[in-house]
């Protein structure tokens, strides 16, 4: 090797690789399968002949994003911070494109999924957003007395169960 030639060090490679990877935090209990698509021209059969349409075709692989749900008594193989499951080493370009294509997705709008190249930043944001609810958490069966009535603590508790209990007690 010539003395003027530059050498690629392992640390340079790791820095370049880390810049292209993000850690994704997800609060959707069972996680998500992320896929990107591109629109391709296609022909569609109609009763009067063919017509030109655009068809979505998947680009690249499907990426599994971990969710915080785990079987009772089992510890997940991945990190969970403040209710967010962390999925490291997701391709940044892939995730950015998925966010662009899914800007109207309920999980994106509710801050149930986000990413950053620095794991500490993701952990800190997850801790800040600990109070964010997905709406998919288990119901809290606890009850309190209000105005002489026993009412559920959880506002998501189904009203029809309340009505059924009233009918049984009458």
């Amino acid at each position: 090797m010539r003395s003027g030639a530059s050498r690629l060090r392992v640390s340079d490679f790791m820095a370049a690789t880390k810049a292209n990877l993000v850690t994704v935090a997800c609060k959707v209990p069972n996680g998500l399968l992320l896929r990107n698509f591109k629109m391709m021209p296609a022909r569609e059969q109609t009763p009067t002949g063919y017509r030109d349409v655009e068809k979505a075709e998947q680009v690249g692989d499907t990426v599994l994003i971990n969710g915080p749900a785990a079987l009772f008594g089992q510890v997940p193989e991945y990190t969970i911070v403040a209710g967010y499951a962390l999925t490291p080493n997701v391709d940044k370009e892939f995730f950015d494109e998925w966010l662009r294509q899914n800007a109207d997705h309920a999980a994106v709008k509710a801050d149930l999924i986000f990413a950053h190249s620095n794991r500490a930043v993701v952990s800190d944001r997850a801790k800040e957003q600990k109070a964010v609810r997905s709406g998919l958490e288990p119901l809290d069966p606890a009850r309190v007395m209000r105005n002489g009535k026993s009412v559920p603590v959880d506002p998501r508790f189904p009203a029809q169960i309340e009505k059924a209990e009233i009918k049984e007690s009458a």
Side-chain angles (χ1 to χ4, degrees), residues 96-168:
D96 289 344
E97 178 62 17
W98 183 85
L99 277 178
R100 188 189 67 72
Q101 290 182 10
N102 294 279
D104 293 332
H105 193 285
V108 174
K109 286 183 173 182
D111 284 331
L112 299 178
I113 185 169
F114 57 87
H116 196 277
S117 57
N118 186 336
R119 186 178 176 132
V121 172
V122 172
S123 294
D124 290 344
R125 183 170 171 190
K127 289 174 188 171
E128 289 171 7
Q129 295 182 188
K130 184 176 185 174
V132 171
R133 307 277 301 204
S134 70
L136 299 171
E137 296 84 8
L139 290 175
D140 183 358
R143 301 179 76 75
V144 295
M145 294 298 290
R146 286 195 195 131
N147 299 329
K149 280 177 64 176
S150 175
V151 295
V153 173
D154 195 332
R156 300 172 300 142
F157 207 84
Q160 61 270 23
I161 293 176
E162 288 294 311
K163 292 176 186 173
E165 288 176 5
I166 293 170
K167 288 179 185 176
E168 289 175 11

Side-chain angles (χ1 to χ4, degrees), residues 9 11 13 15 17 21 25 34-35 44 50 52 54 58 60 66 73 87 89 95 102 114 127 154 156 160-161 163:
R9 290 175 281 174
S11 60
F13 175 74
T17 303
L21 298 176
L34 307 186
R35 303 184 307 168
E44 179 179 79
Y50 290 97
D52 293 324
E54 284 191 329
Q58 185 173 338
N66 299 323
T87 307
N89 303 325
F95 189 75
N102 294 279
F114 57 87
K127 289 174 188 171
D154 195 332
R156 300 172 300 142
Q160 61 270 23
I161 293 176
K163 292 176 186 173

